[in-house]
Amino acid sequence: MTDVPYPDATLHFGVFFQGVNHWTIWSAPESGSQLDPASFRRVAQTAERGLFDAFFLGEGLRLREVDGRIHDLDVAGRPDAITQLSALAAVTDRIGLVSTSNTTFNEPADLARRLSGLDLLSDGRAGWNVVTTDNAWTGENFRRGGFLDHADRYRRAEEFVVAARAIWDGWTADGPQRVQVRSSQFDLDLLPPLPRSAQGHPVIFRAGDSAEGRDFAARHADVIFSAHGNDFDDALAFAQDIRRRLRAAGRPEDDLRILPGTEIIIGATEEEAREKARWVRLQQVTPATALNIAGLVWGFDLSDRDADGPLPTEDPVIAENTGAFGARRVADPRAVVDRWRAESAAHNWSLRETAIALGPQRGHVGTPASLADKFTRFARFGAVHGFNITPYLIPDGLDDIVTLLVPELQERGVYRTSYTGTTLRDHLGLRAPLTRRDPVEQAS
């Protein structure tokens, strides 16, 4: 494979227990509880049996609403991520445990301490997905109220990560050393309360697709979680852009793992896989969800319409983004409506069929062998380092991947056959934390 740029590349898998959004089917008889600890344990232990790198949790600081009403088309509400992961540390041995925790409303001394606790309790398996919060409806629950504008959110996030790392580095071989942080957002003076774990620092994840988000990841993150994992050319373009930004930030271009989010649907034959995918889409995009998706495009409430009927005849309303969850954020709704109408007319699609075909898309569909070939190409041409997989069913949604796809990948030599380390940093093949390298290692 001399013409392949990364002939020895291997894939890393994470599992994203999403908890909200319509991608996880929650209303079908096959669906289990999204709150029962047994569900989290089942998914984490299945992933560990499949030699996954990480179990990844999102953050839910407030019930989601649309136009002032509880959004009841998804799973509603999520337990605190660090609390869940601390419990999972006791029933797993190797898999990494990643908490999404935002920098807009937390404080660095407190969050650094809680993440250190998870890292110690799990013997060096903690990860932190650094996010900012861009909406007023969450901000209403916090002392600062409202939300920060885009530039301030990123400034605070950057200073937050710097402060957290200073706290983690503040416990040396001689014990805790005083840490002082003075910045535009923080004024800290403390002795770190906990020693470092086996991996030094929690692994830093970053989810973000804006130019600022990509640059932030290139400066600070160990892993970037993106939406560029479905199409090979799109994934490769994203990866090449991240490598360019890493070089600009003075880091080696292999210093960050690229793990886009995705969904994987497996069948014994291609026809069976396509049929299963159709069932999954119909369960995900229920009539009510289809009307909600279309309502976001048209800019007004369509919940009283017939999802199995035609598209609305009204023109879309260009609504102001109020910062509330579900606020209309479609960039060019007139263009989207024109396309939806043209495709619907050409295929004689109902509103629901149009929303399924042209609404948000994700994932890979195929047999274990075809998917293994496809993912090997993604890895060895440098488009991804792996995937953060959202199971469409809880708690059994990883079973096919672990029992059918993983062996196919192992046969191709593109997936591990055992864990070779004990920490999340080991699993991902990462260098030492950025603030704990010598200059030669940083430049290599």
Side-chain angles (χ1 to χ4, degrees):
M1 299 180 74
T2 56
D3 57 339
V4 176
Y6 304 94
D8 300 320
T10 55
L11 284 161
H12 302 267
F13 280 167
V15 54
F16 184 8
F17 192 119
Q18 197 148 0
V20 296
N21 292 317
H22 66 273
W23 299 110
T24 305
I25 300 167
W26 62 273
S27 57
E30 297 86 349
S31 302
S33 170
Q34 302 278 326
L35 294 174
D36 188 338
S39 295
F40 299 112
R41 183 171 63 246
R42 170 87 160 83
V43 173
Q45 291 178 337
T46 301
E48 191 168 63
R49 181 163 54 86
L51 306 174
F52 280 37
D53 291 62
F55 179 94
F56 184 103
L57 284 174
E59 182 181 57
L61 298 175
R62 177 172 169 167
L63 288 178
R64 291 143 62 96
E65 301 172 10
V66 174
D67 295 333
R69 299 190 301 273
I70 297 297
H71 183 63
D72 58 1
L73 302 179
D74 301 345
V75 177
R78 293 187 277 201
D80 175 70
I82 294 178
T83 301
Q84 291 182 64
L85 296 171
S86 297
L88 289 174
V91 295
T92 55
D93 295 316
R94 294 295 186 91
I95 192 167
L97 303 164
V98 184
S99 169
T100 297
S101 302
N102 82 72
T103 58
T104 305
F105 304 120
N106 281 299
E107 296 295 331
D110 175 60
L111 184 59
R113 177 185 59 82
R114 288 189 284 135
L115 288 166
S116 282
L118 176 62
D119 213 17
L120 286 167
L121 290 170
S122 64
D123 291 329
R125 293 187 282 140
W128 172 26
N129 179 34
V130 180
V131 296
T132 64
T133 299
D134 67 348
N135 56 68
W137 62 283
T138 300
E140 288 172 349
N141 284 358
F142 292 87
R143 182 177 63 185
R144 236 181 319 281
F147 58 99
L148 298 171
D149 64 31
H150 190 80
D152 282 343
R153 280 193 290 120
Y154 273 91
R155 183 178 303 111
R156 180 179 172 85
E158 192 136 8
E159 294 180 8
F160 197 117
V161 171
V162 170
R165 282 187 161 134
I167 294 168
W168 293 331
D169 285 339
W171 192 297
T172 71
D174 298 322
Q177 308 298 312
R178 183 158 296 283
V179 174
Q180 295 180 318
V181 177
R182 304 279 186 268
S183 67
S184 69
Q185 296 286 323
F186 306 111
D187 187 355
L188 307 177
D189 187 336
L190 75 156
L191 288 170
L194 292 169
R196 289 194 298 272
S197 76
Q199 64 174 349
H201 293 179
V203 172
I204 302 293
F205 284 61
R206 170 66 193 162
D209 201 27
S210 66
E212 292 92 338
R214 296 184 189 198
D215 280 337
F216 184 98
R219 287 194 296 271
H220 297 289
D222 300 302
V223 181
I224 187 165
F225 173 46
S226 81
H228 299 275
N230 295 333
D231 175 77
F232 175 83
D233 291 337
D234 176 56
L236 183 60
F238 178 80
Q240 290 171 336
D241 180 65
I242 293 299
R243 285 192 274 270
R244 180 184 64 77
R245 292 174 193 268
L246 282 166
R247 292 192 297 270
R251 297 176 63 185
E253 67 173 31
D254 64 348
D255 210 28
L256 186 150
R257 301 291 172 262
I258 301 169
L259 301 183
T262 197
E263 175 185 83
I264 297 174
I265 300 173
I266 299 174
T269 64
E270 295 294 343
E271 182 180 355
E272 181 182 305
R274 287 192 294 272
E275 185 59 31
K276 186 185 288 189
R278 176 168 173 74
W279 177 83
V280 170
R281 294 290 177 262
L282 288 172
Q283 297 297 319
Q284 291 172 331
V285 186
T286 64
T289 298
L291 292 171
N292 177 258
I293 292 171
L296 296 177
V297 174
W298 261 264
F300 56 89
D301 184 10
L302 295 172
S303 60
D304 60 345
R305 307 296 175 92
D306 180 7
D308 294 319
L311 301 184
T313 57
E314 298 96 326
D315 289 333
V317 173
I318 311 302
E320 179 185 357
N321 181 2
T322 63
F325 173 74
R328 322 304 178 189
R329 298 186 183 190
V330 176
D332 188 351
R334 291 189 182 88
V336 175
V337 165
D338 288 346
R339 179 171 177 243
W340 279 38
R341 284 174 172 158
E343 294 289 333
S344 175
H347 299 283
N348 195 31
W349 286 337
S350 67
L351 184 152
R352 185 185 182 194
E353 290 170 324
T354 307
I356 290 173
L358 303 180
Q361 304 291 315
R362 60 162 40 184
H364 299 272
V365 178
T367 65
S370 69
L371 289 169
D373 288 340
K374 183 180 188 181
F375 294 159
T376 299
R377 178 171 179 253
F378 270 67
R380 295 196 164 164
F381 280 84
V384 302
H385 293 104
F387 296 98
N388 204 15
I389 301 165
T390 296
Y392 54 84
L393 276 177
I394 295 295
D396 302 330
L398 287 184
D399 290 5
D400 283 353
I401 295 167
V402 170
T403 60
L404 301 175
L405 177 59
V406 164
E408 289 282 349
L409 294 169
Q410 289 171 329
E411 283 187 10
R412 289 158 176 77
V414 74
Y415 196 80
R416 64 167 61 95
T417 54
S418 65
Y419 287 114
T420 56
T422 60
T423 70
L424 177 55
R425 194 170 296 277
D426 290 337
H427 303 337
L428 290 162
L430 295 169
R431 297 179 176 88
L434 280 169
T435 54
R436 304 195 59 76
R437 299 179 190 175
D438 60 44
V440 173
E441 184 182 16
Q442 172 63 10
S444 65

